[in-house]
Amino acid sequence: MRLERRSQTPVGMALAAPVGAIAAALALAGILITIAGAPVLDAYQRMFMGAFGSRLQITETLTRSTPLILTGLAAAVAFRSRLWNIGAEGQFYLGALATAGLGAKLGPFIPAMLLVPSLLLVGAAAGAVWLLVPLGLRLRFGVDEVVTTLLLNFIALLFVSMMIEGPLRDPLAFGWPQSVPVDPAATLSKLVARSRLHTGLLIALAAAITIWLLQARTVFGLESRAAGLDPATASFAGVSLVNVLVRVACLSGGLAGLAGAIEVLGIKGYVTTDLSPGYGYTGIVVAMLAGSHPLGVVLAALFVAMIFVGADGMSRALGVPNAIADVIVSMSLLTMLTALLLTRYRLRR
Amino acid sequence: MTVVLRVEGITKRFGGLVANDDVTLDLHQGELLALLGENGAGKTTLMNILFGHVVPDTGRVVAFGQALPPGKPRAAIAAGIGMVHQHFALAANLTVLENITAGTQSLTRWRADASRARRKLTELAQRFGLIVALDARVGDLSVGERQRVEILKALYRDTRILILDEPTAVLTYQESQQFYAILRSMATKGLSLIFISHRLPEVMESSDRVIVLRGGRVVAERRPAETSRDELAELMVGRRVARPRRESQPSGPVLLDAEEIDAAPKRHMKLTAVSFHVRAGEILGIVGVSGNGQTALAQLLSGQCAPLAGRLTLFGAHCPRLWPRSCVASGIGRVPEDRNNGGAIGEMALWENAVLERVRERRFSIAGLVRKRPGLAFAAEIISRFDVRGGTPTSEIRLLSGGNMQKFIVGRSLATAPRLLVAAQPTRGLDEGAVAAIHEHILAARRAGIGILLISEDLDDILQLADRVQAIVAGRLSPDIPVTAADPRRLGLMMAGVWDGA
């Protein structure tokens, strides 16, 4: 059996790929659910209801999808130009830390109207810096950014830990390691009363649309795509790879940092080391499921958020461990990679 | 004469494409058979079937009276069939001896029996005139020597039928002459050989018999004495193809003048003190064996690498260095030497490939926003003016054939009326029809007064297009000679580094 390159990928097939991949992942996870002793269809129905069954659950799913949209965009933007940013998790925490740190202090000095935008900007900048470091190492010394971005995640987390146990520690937190809460004027307002859903969702959606327009319509979009597809040809055509990569890194790291900033300003108001249940890593799955398309990222993030939120409901009702959510999401990455292969190649015997 | 190899009624389809259509041919003992055909004629598929890499839909291969099981390369090797591929399969950091014996030793033996291998190889090398140092590292050998290693490798496995895929693509004229002499001596000593080629002069000079493939079928069988180059060309292409002729014309002012330029691009042969000039309305041909600095020269003039020393004067003004975009802006059209790696991005649309190098011009973008409509119009203009077939402005460029992609790339540069064209290997790997088309476009550019620097490893390109010729050898340029004073023999000597004052 061998693989043969398709001359063209039919549009229908490209759209069917993520659907098929998700179906396959759910089917495979179904085996585990059966082993756990629950009826599969019932479990999935409860999972769906757990995510969309009530107003509260819908808002919870949307809240969960907000950071995933941003980290998904961060991965999608980087991968498109072959910048293998595995470090969105670290950039997320750096963004969160910078926002929380300044958010607790800046309040008195900045007009309230500008407070939130400038704190979001600070978060994005911190995330961008955290990606520019490994990019610089790659451009200057040829260091593989897969390794550096990944390892910087742990450094970032330990740095956050150091800061919230030390200089930023909240003395009123009964000894819990967390930072001083931000100025109340700096929090994102709620979208729906009596829920956690906040205006961060709108920012994330706006980011997705902006990235989409940037990629589809601008010179930068054309050049960064060329640089990703074929660096040699792009540079022959006068595209500066360094220039493209630096801008891509600012966008990618910035989006991940923004995700962290929004989690701080929208949900908690302060930083802890469990602010993110792996949003940065899950962003990679989201980007892959979306085929790196910015609008697809929104849908993929919703799907992943649904699995996570829904799994809690399912777990409560049927006693299936909610780790099944991680299994489904990881499985869907593998099935998506397979599906992508099959959209580009056909199997021949 | 005994038939050593018979191919009977081979048909192979790939999807809707018929790569081989009922192909039947015989190879006799001691024969030098040429298989002639354009790209896509089915030569490679046929050879892969012969060698067991591909299973045919129908038909069979019979070697020495025994039918070979389909799809079993080992059976083909055991039957005495050897193959030398166009792209060598040698490990650069191993010695010649190690390369040849790799894969032939039993894994269960502790020690390789090097002395026996050495004796056998020395004997083979002497018998066939394949002289090469057995202990040299392959990475240190010239391309011609590597080819000999490949042949020795096949002979070492007791090959009696040797198949060579485009064997002279990388050799100079003299090396090819020598090479065919070796093949001839192998044939007279009883080996049977098939070589694949699309170079007509070689086929005419060196083969006993020519089989022409076209569209997957055997369309003709000729003896060289009974045919002519023109007839073979027509059989191969299926219609009359005449390469355009170069008319003499006066040349204009000097557009590009390089004096004693040094340049050292990464991973390529560097240039040392090269001097040349290109006038309006003339073609300067740079001929040479691959890997002698052509890439550096092309990169220098495409804005990809800076001169380290010397003086570059462009359109009358001193030019410290070029950048890709400054080339485009100042009117230098560029055809890169590898269209798939530098020329075009396969997964991007034709229009995107057309505008990429000039996307920041007002015509194609305003305030950072790409203007798609003029881009589409530009691509459509290239497609119609340069007869690019098989694509639309919005289709992916990888779907074009090599010839059409090259026409598109040449067209992209010429459509904007440049003053200078730097064309590196513009006809490499193209079939006869596409070569004629590219030649026509280059000559039309010359008539329009464009100065052209033509870097090519193909002597025919140089002899048919250039006004003046310089040879490039180990990063140095020979003095120029007018093409009227050039013939394959003299150019071959120049490419080997023999010129007055060298």
Side-chain angles (χ1 to χ4, degrees), chain B residues 129-395:
Chain B
L130 293 160
I131 305 306
V132 56
L134 291 180
D135 295 312
R137 257 171 33 100
V138 162
D140 299 331
L141 300 182
S142 73
V143 182
E145 287 171 313
R146 285 184 208 199
Q147 188 151 41
R148 277 178 238 155
V149 176
E150 277 283 4
I151 295 174
L152 272 176
K153 194 162 97 180
L155 295 178
Y156 181 74
R157 292 167 199 210
D158 300 315
T159 294
R160 289 180 290 165
I161 298 168
L162 189 59
I163 301 164
L164 302 118
D165 188 7
E166 301 271 353
T168 57
V170 291
L171 304 183
T172 63
Y173 178 73
Q174 271 82 0
E175 279 177 319
S176 322
Q177 298 279 309
Q178 226 177 29
F179 176 75
Y180 280 111
I182 291 172
L183 290 195
R184 170 59 59 201
S185 92
M186 289 166 71
T188 52
K189 283 170 184 142
L191 260 71
S192 313
L193 299 105
I194 302 180
F195 70 93
I196 300 173
S197 182
H198 63 257
R199 291 192 180 177
L200 294 170
E202 293 180 359
V203 168
M204 289 292 291
E205 274 173 39
S206 309
S207 67
D208 295 321
R209 199 154 57 96
V210 187
I211 285 179
V212 185
L213 277 183
R214 189 176 74 231
R217 300 174 145 270
V218 173
V219 292
E221 186 184 326
R222 294 282 187 278
R223 298 200 169 273
E226 298 158 0
T227 183
S228 64
R229 270 181 79 158
D230 290 343
E231 192 201 13
L232 285 181
E234 198 178 329
L235 286 168
M236 183 165 81
V237 184
R239 63 194 151 86
R240 273 199 167 283
V241 176
R243 292 197 181 179
R245 287 177 56 84
R246 187 177 55 95
E247 309 290 340
S248 67
Q249 69 178 41
S251 52
V254 172
L255 299 177
L256 172 69
D257 188 27
E259 290 169 69
E260 304 277 316
I261 298 251
D262 289 357
K266 277 181 205 151
R267 293 187 304 276
H268 293 289
M269 168 77 73
K270 64 180 205 278
L271 294 178
T272 313
V274 298
S275 297
F276 59 90
H277 64 272
V278 181
R279 293 173 175 277
E282 73 155 6
I283 299 177
L284 172 65
I286 305 288
V287 70
V289 179
S290 141
N292 271 285
Q294 288 95 330
T295 304
L297 188 59
Q299 290 198 351
L300 176 76
L301 298 173
S302 311
Q304 291 172 287
C305 91
L308 300 175
R311 189 178 170 83
L312 197 64
T313 311
L314 183 67
F315 308 133
H318 175 59
C319 174
R321 94 150 273 187
L322 289 161
W323 298 95
R325 294 262 157 95
S326 71
C327 284
V328 173
S330 62
I332 303 180
R334 307 168 305 149
V335 178
E337 62 182 3
D338 184 348
R339 62 185 158 272
N340 292 310
N341 188 17
I345 299 178
E347 268 117 14
M348 289 179 95
L350 267 70
W351 79 269
E352 291 169 309
N353 275 292
V355 303
L356 188 58
E357 65 181 5
R358 45 182 79 245
V359 65
R360 285 170 193 270
E361 289 175 11
R362 278 295 291 273
R363 182 175 168 196
F364 296 117
S365 68
I366 284 178
L369 291 175
V370 175
R371 300 174 66 194
K372 188 170 175 184
R373 201 178 294 260
L376 290 172
F378 184 51
E381 180 197 339
I382 297 169
I383 289 171
S384 70
R385 262 181 68 187
F386 294 86
D387 189 29
V388 178
R389 296 178 194 182
T392 63
T394 51
S395 62

Side-chain angles (χ1 to χ4, degrees), chain B residues 441-464:
Chain B
H441 291 313
I442 290 179
L443 288 174
R446 173 176 172 270
R447 283 195 295 276
I450 297 171
I452 295 155
L453 182 80
L454 172 69
I455 303 171
S456 182
E457 284 152 24
D458 186 316
L459 287 189
D460 286 343
D461 275 358
I462 299 289
L463 290 170
Q464 289 166 12

Side-chain angles (χ1 to χ4, degrees), chain A residues 189-265:
Chain A
S189 50
K190 296 283 177 237
L191 269 185
V192 175
R194 295 186 315 283
S195 77
R196 299 205 302 157
L197 190 60
H198 53 84
T199 48
L201 177 67
L202 302 182
I203 299 175
L205 291 176
I209 292 169
T210 308
I211 298 288
W212 174 55
L213 290 175
L214 198 64
Q215 291 184 343
R217 296 288 159 81
T218 66
V219 171
F220 167 71
L222 183 71
E223 292 192 343
S224 59
R225 187 156 77 93
L229 287 172
D230 183 346
T233 303
S235 84
F236 180 84
V239 175
S240 159
L241 299 181
V242 172
N243 194 319
V244 164
L245 285 174
V246 166
R247 285 193 278 172
V248 165
C250 287
L251 265 184
S252 174
L255 285 162
L258 185 62
I262 285 177
E263 281 299 280
V264 167
L265 301 186

